[in-house]
Amino acid sequence: MKKKWCKMKWVGLLFLCCLSASLQFCIVSSTSSPQPLLTNQGHQESATSRTLKQELEDPPEVHCSRERSRAAWKIIQEYLMPFVEKERYQIPRTCKLHPSNDLYRDQEEHKSLVELNDWQCGYCKKRFYDEKFLDKHFDNRHYNLLNVSHSRCLANVCGALHCDLAMDSVPHKKTKCNPAAAARNKHLCEGLADSCFPVSNGPSASRLHEFFLRQFCDAHTCTGGRKPFSQGRRKKRSSISYLVISILTMLLLLLFYSYIYMYRRYLH
């Protein structure tokens, strides 16, 4: 009887040891198994915080004015390119007026004015009330799309193209002319004429060289001579307006021949 009791005692102890080991394993498993979830969650939270931090931080500084680059592009398109296209002349890529010299050209082409006070980003389709907010969005979220490895900046030719005059929407008192600034801008302007329209490139380039000097360079003086853009502008015909005119013409012709047909039918 005593042996049997000792045997049962050892079995009980063994059972308790097994039960204790099982409980310990369950506790360790329950405390250690959520760890990967917490780790992944930590990564997600850190990624979210980094994104939020990037949005709140100021973008890296770019030493090229977007506003002045836009003004220079507008002047080129209105006061120069219609005449260049009339001559069927190709501006060389070495010319600082070439579209490839505009740091912001790709971003500007990814703007859409859906309707009044509704600007859309062409990259991510977000919409903004004003163009300046879309510009800020480009600076904050799509800065990586700018190729800043080359010294490209269309704003650098603003002095030659009279950007300040084009950007001033509100008339103000005439400031005193600075002869040194006028001479510097005229030198820059003449350099553009030589590099963009070399007279050695043929008659078209020679005519455009002379035109550029009259259109932009002659006004850089304090003697009160020519005014900027003295040669005027030629607006390019919009493809949309051309389409509208074509449709209206077709409708008028259709109405005219319908009238002739009904008139002849009535006579018979």
Side-chain angles (χ1 to χ4, degrees), residues 55-79:
E55 290 183 5
L56 295 176
E57 286 180 349
D58 291 331
E61 187 176 1
V62 179
H63 299 284
C64 182
S65 169
R66 183 189 293 273
E67 186 180 7
R68 292 179 69 80
S69 295
R70 186 184 299 135
W73 177 264
K74 184 178 180 181
I75 290 172
I76 292 169
Q77 295 304 307
E78 289 188 10
Y79 295 99

PDB file of all heavy atoms in Angstrom, residues 55-79:
ATOM      1  N   GLU A  55       5.152  66.864 -45.038  1.00  0.00           N
ATOM      2  CA  GLU A  55       4.169  67.815 -45.520  1.00  0.00           C
ATOM      3  C   GLU A  55       4.271  69.131 -44.767  1.00  0.00           C
ATOM      4  O   GLU A  55       4.065  70.200 -45.338  1.00  0.00           O
ATOM      5  CB  GLU A  55       2.765  67.233 -45.376  1.00  0.00           C
ATOM      6  CG  GLU A  55       2.482  66.081 -46.333  1.00  0.00           C
ATOM      7  CD  GLU A  55       1.058  65.583 -46.200  1.00  0.00           C
ATOM      8  OE1 GLU A  55       0.292  66.206 -45.423  1.00  0.00           O
ATOM      9  OE2 GLU A  55       0.716  64.584 -46.854  1.00  0.00           O
ATOM     10  N   LEU A  56       4.564  69.056 -43.453  1.00  0.00           N
ATOM     11  CA  LEU A  56       4.613  70.266 -42.662  1.00  0.00           C
ATOM     12  C   LEU A  56       5.913  71.027 -42.839  1.00  0.00           C
ATOM     13  O   LEU A  56       5.953  72.241 -42.701  1.00  0.00           O
ATOM     14  CB  LEU A  56       4.408  69.914 -41.176  1.00  0.00           C
ATOM     15  CG  LEU A  56       3.023  69.340 -40.819  1.00  0.00           C
ATOM     16  CD1 LEU A  56       2.985  68.948 -39.350  1.00  0.00           C
ATOM     17  CD2 LEU A  56       1.913  70.326 -41.141  1.00  0.00           C
ATOM     18  N   GLU A  57       6.977  70.314 -43.142  1.00  0.00           N
ATOM     19  CA  GLU A  57       8.271  70.971 -43.305  1.00  0.00           C
ATOM     20  C   GLU A  57       8.303  71.783 -44.596  1.00  0.00           C
ATOM     21  O   GLU A  57       7.619  71.481 -45.558  1.00  0.00           O
ATOM     22  CB  GLU A  57       9.393  69.928 -43.340  1.00  0.00           C
ATOM     23  CG  GLU A  57       9.701  69.325 -41.981  1.00  0.00           C
ATOM     24  CD  GLU A  57      10.814  68.303 -42.078  1.00  0.00           C
ATOM     25  OE1 GLU A  57      11.168  67.935 -43.216  1.00  0.00           O
ATOM     26  OE2 GLU A  57      11.326  67.874 -41.030  1.00  0.00           O
ATOM     27  N   ASP A  58       9.118  72.827 -44.604  1.00  0.00           N
ATOM     28  CA  ASP A  58       9.309  73.617 -45.809  1.00  0.00           C
ATOM     29  C   ASP A  58      10.088  72.810 -46.827  1.00  0.00           C
ATOM     30  O   ASP A  58      11.018  72.078 -46.478  1.00  0.00           O
ATOM     31  CB  ASP A  58      10.068  74.913 -45.487  1.00  0.00           C
ATOM     32  CG  ASP A  58       9.223  75.865 -44.659  1.00  0.00           C
ATOM     33  OD1 ASP A  58       7.991  75.810 -44.799  1.00  0.00           O
ATOM     34  OD2 ASP A  58       9.796  76.631 -43.871  1.00  0.00           O
ATOM     35  N   PRO A  59       9.736  72.936 -48.130  1.00  0.00           N
ATOM     36  CA  PRO A  59      10.459  72.184 -49.160  1.00  0.00           C
ATOM     37  C   PRO A  59      11.873  72.717 -49.331  1.00  0.00           C
ATOM     38  O   PRO A  59      12.168  73.845 -48.924  1.00  0.00           O
ATOM     39  CB  PRO A  59       9.627  72.450 -50.423  1.00  0.00           C
ATOM     40  CG  PRO A  59       8.964  73.759 -50.171  1.00  0.00           C
ATOM     41  CD  PRO A  59       8.684  73.780 -48.686  1.00  0.00           C
ATOM     42  N   PRO A  60      12.768  71.926 -49.890  1.00  0.00           N
ATOM     43  CA  PRO A  60      14.131  72.416 -50.147  1.00  0.00           C
ATOM     44  C   PRO A  60      14.094  73.666 -51.021  1.00  0.00           C
ATOM     45  O   PRO A  60      13.290  73.771 -51.943  1.00  0.00           O
ATOM     46  CB  PRO A  60      14.783  71.231 -50.883  1.00  0.00           C
ATOM     47  CG  PRO A  60      13.994  70.038 -50.465  1.00  0.00           C
ATOM     48  CD  PRO A  60      12.595  70.523 -50.270  1.00  0.00           C
ATOM     49  N   GLU A  61      14.956  74.593 -50.712  1.00  0.00           N
ATOM     50  CA  GLU A  61      14.949  75.878 -51.406  1.00  0.00           C
ATOM     51  C   GLU A  61      15.481  75.733 -52.832  1.00  0.00           C
ATOM     52  O   GLU A  61      16.504  75.112 -53.068  1.00  0.00           O
ATOM     53  CB  GLU A  61      15.807  76.879 -50.637  1.00  0.00           C
ATOM     54  CG  GLU A  61      15.723  78.288 -51.192  1.00  0.00           C
ATOM     55  CD  GLU A  61      16.512  79.272 -50.362  1.00  0.00           C
ATOM     56  OE1 GLU A  61      17.138  78.844 -49.367  1.00  0.00           O
ATOM     57  OE2 GLU A  61      16.510  80.467 -50.703  1.00  0.00           O
ATOM     58  N   VAL A  62      14.719  76.301 -53.783  1.00  0.00           N
ATOM     59  CA  VAL A  62      15.115  76.326 -55.189  1.00  0.00           C
ATOM     60  C   VAL A  62      15.358  77.779 -55.559  1.00  0.00           C
ATOM     61  O   VAL A  62      14.460  78.616 -55.412  1.00  0.00           O
ATOM     62  CB  VAL A  62      14.031  75.704 -56.098  1.00  0.00           C
ATOM     63  CG1 VAL A  62      14.459  75.773 -57.556  1.00  0.00           C
ATOM     64  CG2 VAL A  62      13.755  74.267 -55.692  1.00  0.00           C
ATOM     65  N   HIS A  63      16.531  78.079 -56.037  1.00  0.00           N
ATOM     66  CA  HIS A  63      16.880  79.469 -56.350  1.00  0.00           C
ATOM     67  C   HIS A  63      16.418  79.816 -57.768  1.00  0.00           C
ATOM     68  O   HIS A  63      17.219  80.145 -58.647  1.00  0.00           O
ATOM     69  CB  HIS A  63      18.381  79.680 -56.184  1.00  0.00           C
ATOM     70  CG  HIS A  63      18.875  79.419 -54.798  1.00  0.00           C
ATOM     71  ND1 HIS A  63      18.685  80.291 -53.750  1.00  0.00           N
ATOM     72  CD2 HIS A  63      19.533  78.347 -54.269  1.00  0.00           C
ATOM     73  CE1 HIS A  63      19.221  79.802 -52.646  1.00  0.00           C
ATOM     74  NE2 HIS A  63      19.736  78.620 -52.929  1.00  0.00           N
ATOM     75  N   CYS A  64      15.119  79.719 -57.971  1.00  0.00           N
ATOM     76  CA  CYS A  64      14.521  80.070 -59.262  1.00  0.00           C
ATOM     77  C   CYS A  64      13.071  80.437 -59.004  1.00  0.00           C
ATOM     78  O   CYS A  64      12.291  79.616 -58.513  1.00  0.00           O
ATOM     79  CB  CYS A  64      14.614  78.904 -60.249  1.00  0.00           C
ATOM     80  SG  CYS A  64      13.936  79.266 -61.895  1.00  0.00           S
ATOM     81  N   SER A  65      12.696  81.667 -59.331  1.00  0.00           N
ATOM     82  CA  SER A  65      11.349  82.143 -59.063  1.00  0.00           C
ATOM     83  C   SER A  65      10.352  81.510 -60.032  1.00  0.00           C
ATOM     84  O   SER A  65      10.483  81.639 -61.249  1.00  0.00           O
ATOM     85  CB  SER A  65      11.305  83.673 -59.197  1.00  0.00           C
ATOM     86  OG  SER A  65       9.975  84.131 -59.195  1.00  0.00           O
ATOM     87  N   ARG A  66       9.356  80.835 -59.471  1.00  0.00           N
ATOM     88  CA  ARG A  66       8.311  80.239 -60.303  1.00  0.00           C
ATOM     89  C   ARG A  66       7.471  81.333 -60.970  1.00  0.00           C
ATOM     90  O   ARG A  66       7.099  81.234 -62.143  1.00  0.00           O
ATOM     91  CB  ARG A  66       7.409  79.338 -59.457  1.00  0.00           C
ATOM     92  CG  ARG A  66       6.325  78.625 -60.257  1.00  0.00           C
ATOM     93  CD  ARG A  66       5.356  77.931 -59.333  1.00  0.00           C
ATOM     94  NE  ARG A  66       5.959  76.833 -58.605  1.00  0.00           N
ATOM     95  CZ  ARG A  66       6.040  75.578 -59.065  1.00  0.00           C
ATOM     96  NH1 ARG A  66       5.538  75.295 -60.259  1.00  0.00           N
ATOM     97  NH2 ARG A  66       6.604  74.643 -58.340  1.00  0.00           N
ATOM     98  N   GLU A  67       7.159  82.386 -60.201  1.00  0.00           N
ATOM     99  CA  GLU A  67       6.313  83.459 -60.726  1.00  0.00           C
ATOM    100  C   GLU A  67       6.983  84.189 -61.889  1.00  0.00           C
ATOM    101  O   GLU A  67       6.368  84.462 -62.910  1.00  0.00           O
ATOM    102  CB  GLU A  67       5.971  84.437 -59.598  1.00  0.00           C
ATOM    103  CG  GLU A  67       4.982  85.518 -60.014  1.00  0.00           C
ATOM    104  CD  GLU A  67       4.657  86.473 -58.877  1.00  0.00           C
ATOM    105  OE1 GLU A  67       5.309  86.364 -57.806  1.00  0.00           O
ATOM    106  OE2 GLU A  67       3.775  87.323 -59.057  1.00  0.00           O
ATOM    107  N   ARG A  68       8.272  84.489 -61.745  1.00  0.00           N
ATOM    108  CA  ARG A  68       8.975  85.201 -62.811  1.00  0.00           C
ATOM    109  C   ARG A  68       9.232  84.282 -64.012  1.00  0.00           C
ATOM    110  O   ARG A  68       9.236  84.735 -65.155  1.00  0.00           O
ATOM    111  CB  ARG A  68      10.290  85.775 -62.271  1.00  0.00           C
ATOM    112  CG  ARG A  68      10.074  86.895 -61.274  1.00  0.00           C
ATOM    113  CD  ARG A  68      11.380  87.434 -60.718  1.00  0.00           C
ATOM    114  NE  ARG A  68      12.156  88.161 -61.704  1.00  0.00           N
ATOM    115  CZ  ARG A  68      11.929  89.420 -62.076  1.00  0.00           C
ATOM    116  NH1 ARG A  68      10.913  90.093 -61.545  1.00  0.00           N
ATOM    117  NH2 ARG A  68      12.684  90.013 -62.967  1.00  0.00           N
ATOM    118  N   SER A  69       9.441  83.006 -63.745  1.00  0.00           N
ATOM    119  CA  SER A  69       9.579  82.055 -64.856  1.00  0.00           C
ATOM    120  C   SER A  69       8.282  81.981 -65.651  1.00  0.00           C
ATOM    121  O   SER A  69       8.292  81.923 -66.892  1.00  0.00           O
ATOM    122  CB  SER A  69       9.935  80.665 -64.322  1.00  0.00           C
ATOM    123  OG  SER A  69      11.200  80.660 -63.716  1.00  0.00           O
ATOM    124  N   ARG A  70       7.149  82.014 -64.948  1.00  0.00           N
ATOM    125  CA  ARG A  70       5.849  81.994 -65.618  1.00  0.00           C
ATOM    126  C   ARG A  70       5.639  83.263 -66.442  1.00  0.00           C
ATOM    127  O   ARG A  70       5.102  83.224 -67.549  1.00  0.00           O
ATOM    128  CB  ARG A  70       4.739  81.831 -64.579  1.00  0.00           C
ATOM    129  CG  ARG A  70       3.345  81.648 -65.181  1.00  0.00           C
ATOM    130  CD  ARG A  70       2.301  81.604 -64.088  1.00  0.00           C
ATOM    131  NE  ARG A  70       2.541  80.494 -63.200  1.00  0.00           N
ATOM    132  CZ  ARG A  70       2.496  80.554 -61.879  1.00  0.00           C
ATOM    133  NH1 ARG A  70       2.231  81.702 -61.285  1.00  0.00           N
ATOM    134  NH2 ARG A  70       2.700  79.489 -61.148  1.00  0.00           N
ATOM    135  N   ALA A  71       6.064  84.399 -65.890  1.00  0.00           N
ATOM    136  CA  ALA A  71       5.928  85.668 -66.618  1.00  0.00           C
ATOM    137  C   ALA A  71       6.794  85.664 -67.878  1.00  0.00           C
ATOM    138  O   ALA A  71       6.357  86.113 -68.949  1.00  0.00           O
ATOM    139  CB  ALA A  71       6.312  86.831 -65.709  1.00  0.00           C
ATOM    140  N   ALA A  72       8.014  85.150 -67.764  1.00  0.00           N
ATOM    141  CA  ALA A  72       8.904  85.078 -68.931  1.00  0.00           C
ATOM    142  C   ALA A  72       8.316  84.168 -70.003  1.00  0.00           C
ATOM    143  O   ALA A  72       8.358  84.485 -71.201  1.00  0.00           O
ATOM    144  CB  ALA A  72      10.287  84.578 -68.502  1.00  0.00           C
ATOM    145  N   TRP A  73       7.766  83.029 -69.587  1.00  0.00           N
ATOM    146  CA  TRP A  73       7.151  82.098 -70.545  1.00  0.00           C
ATOM    147  C   TRP A  73       5.977  82.753 -71.275  1.00  0.00           C
ATOM    148  O   TRP A  73       5.811  82.597 -72.491  1.00  0.00           O
ATOM    149  CB  TRP A  73       6.687  80.844 -69.807  1.00  0.00           C
ATOM    150  CG  TRP A  73       5.971  79.861 -70.681  1.00  0.00           C
ATOM    151  CD1 TRP A  73       4.621  79.732 -70.848  1.00  0.00           C
ATOM    152  CD2 TRP A  73       6.570  78.885 -71.547  1.00  0.00           C
ATOM    153  NE1 TRP A  73       4.339  78.730 -71.745  1.00  0.00           N
ATOM    154  CE2 TRP A  73       5.520  78.199 -72.184  1.00  0.00           C
ATOM    155  CE3 TRP A  73       7.901  78.530 -71.814  1.00  0.00           C
ATOM    156  CZ2 TRP A  73       5.762  77.167 -73.088  1.00  0.00           C
ATOM    157  CZ3 TRP A  73       8.124  77.498 -72.714  1.00  0.00           C
ATOM    158  CH2 TRP A  73       7.068  76.838 -73.345  1.00  0.00           C
ATOM    159  N   LYS A  74       5.164  83.506 -70.531  1.00  0.00           N
ATOM    160  CA  LYS A  74       4.014  84.174 -71.139  1.00  0.00           C
ATOM    161  C   LYS A  74       4.459  85.211 -72.164  1.00  0.00           C
ATOM    162  O   LYS A  74       3.878  85.320 -73.253  1.00  0.00           O
ATOM    163  CB  LYS A  74       3.170  84.837 -70.043  1.00  0.00           C
ATOM    164  CG  LYS A  74       1.901  85.482 -70.561  1.00  0.00           C
ATOM    165  CD  LYS A  74       1.095  86.085 -69.422  1.00  0.00           C
ATOM    166  CE  LYS A  74      -0.174  86.740 -69.951  1.00  0.00           C
ATOM    167  NZ  LYS A  74      -0.965  87.366 -68.840  1.00  0.00           N
ATOM    168  N   ILE A  75       5.502  85.964 -71.834  1.00  0.00           N
ATOM    169  CA  ILE A  75       6.009  86.974 -72.767  1.00  0.00           C
ATOM    170  C   ILE A  75       6.545  86.311 -74.031  1.00  0.00           C
ATOM    171  O   ILE A  75       6.289  86.770 -75.154  1.00  0.00           O
ATOM    172  CB  ILE A  75       7.101  87.820 -72.081  1.00  0.00           C
ATOM    173  CG1 ILE A  75       6.482  88.711 -71.005  1.00  0.00           C
ATOM    174  CG2 ILE A  75       7.854  88.672 -73.098  1.00  0.00           C
ATOM    175  CD1 ILE A  75       7.495  89.428 -70.147  1.00  0.00           C
ATOM    176  N   ILE A  76       7.294  85.242 -73.864  1.00  0.00           N
ATOM    177  CA  ILE A  76       7.849  84.527 -75.015  1.00  0.00           C
ATOM    178  C   ILE A  76       6.739  84.013 -75.918  1.00  0.00           C
ATOM    179  O   ILE A  76       6.805  84.129 -77.150  1.00  0.00           O
ATOM    180  CB  ILE A  76       8.753  83.366 -74.547  1.00  0.00           C
ATOM    181  CG1 ILE A  76      10.005  83.916 -73.868  1.00  0.00           C
ATOM    182  CG2 ILE A  76       9.143  82.463 -75.708  1.00  0.00           C
ATOM    183  CD1 ILE A  76      10.832  82.867 -73.152  1.00  0.00           C
ATOM    184  N   GLN A  77       5.690  83.453 -75.315  1.00  0.00           N
ATOM    185  CA  GLN A  77       4.594  82.888 -76.100  1.00  0.00           C
ATOM    186  C   GLN A  77       3.777  83.957 -76.810  1.00  0.00           C
ATOM    187  O   GLN A  77       3.283  83.725 -77.925  1.00  0.00           O
ATOM    188  CB  GLN A  77       3.677  82.058 -75.187  1.00  0.00           C
ATOM    189  CG  GLN A  77       4.331  80.824 -74.601  1.00  0.00           C
ATOM    190  CD  GLN A  77       4.897  79.902 -75.672  1.00  0.00           C
ATOM    191  OE1 GLN A  77       4.203  79.506 -76.603  1.00  0.00           O
ATOM    192  NE2 GLN A  77       6.161  79.549 -75.527  1.00  0.00           N
ATOM    193  N   GLU A  78       3.631  85.115 -76.211  1.00  0.00           N
ATOM    194  CA  GLU A  78       2.784  86.156 -76.801  1.00  0.00           C
ATOM    195  C   GLU A  78       3.536  87.089 -77.740  1.00  0.00           C
ATOM    196  O   GLU A  78       2.987  87.505 -78.764  1.00  0.00           O
ATOM    197  CB  GLU A  78       2.121  86.980 -75.690  1.00  0.00           C
ATOM    198  CG  GLU A  78       1.050  86.234 -74.920  1.00  0.00           C
ATOM    199  CD  GLU A  78       0.295  87.144 -73.963  1.00  0.00           C
ATOM    200  OE1 GLU A  78       0.486  88.386 -74.035  1.00  0.00           O
ATOM    201  OE2 GLU A  78      -0.476  86.630 -73.138  1.00  0.00           O
ATOM    202  N   TYR A  79       4.771  87.433 -77.391  1.00  0.00           N
ATOM    203  CA  TYR A  79       5.475  88.483 -78.126  1.00  0.00           C
ATOM    204  C   TYR A  79       6.624  87.975 -78.996  1.00  0.00           C
ATOM    205  O   TYR A  79       7.245  88.775 -79.704  1.00  0.00           O
ATOM    206  CB  TYR A  79       6.022  89.532 -77.146  1.00  0.00           C
ATOM    207  CG  TYR A  79       4.947  90.293 -76.416  1.00  0.00           C
ATOM    208  CD1 TYR A  79       4.595  89.939 -75.117  1.00  0.00           C
ATOM    209  CD2 TYR A  79       4.269  91.343 -77.022  1.00  0.00           C
ATOM    210  CE1 TYR A  79       3.597  90.626 -74.438  1.00  0.00           C
ATOM    211  CE2 TYR A  79       3.274  92.039 -76.347  1.00  0.00           C
ATOM    212  CZ  TYR A  79       2.941  91.672 -75.054  1.00  0.00           C
ATOM    213  OH  TYR A  79       1.942  92.360 -74.394  1.00  0.00           O
TER     214      TYR A  79
END
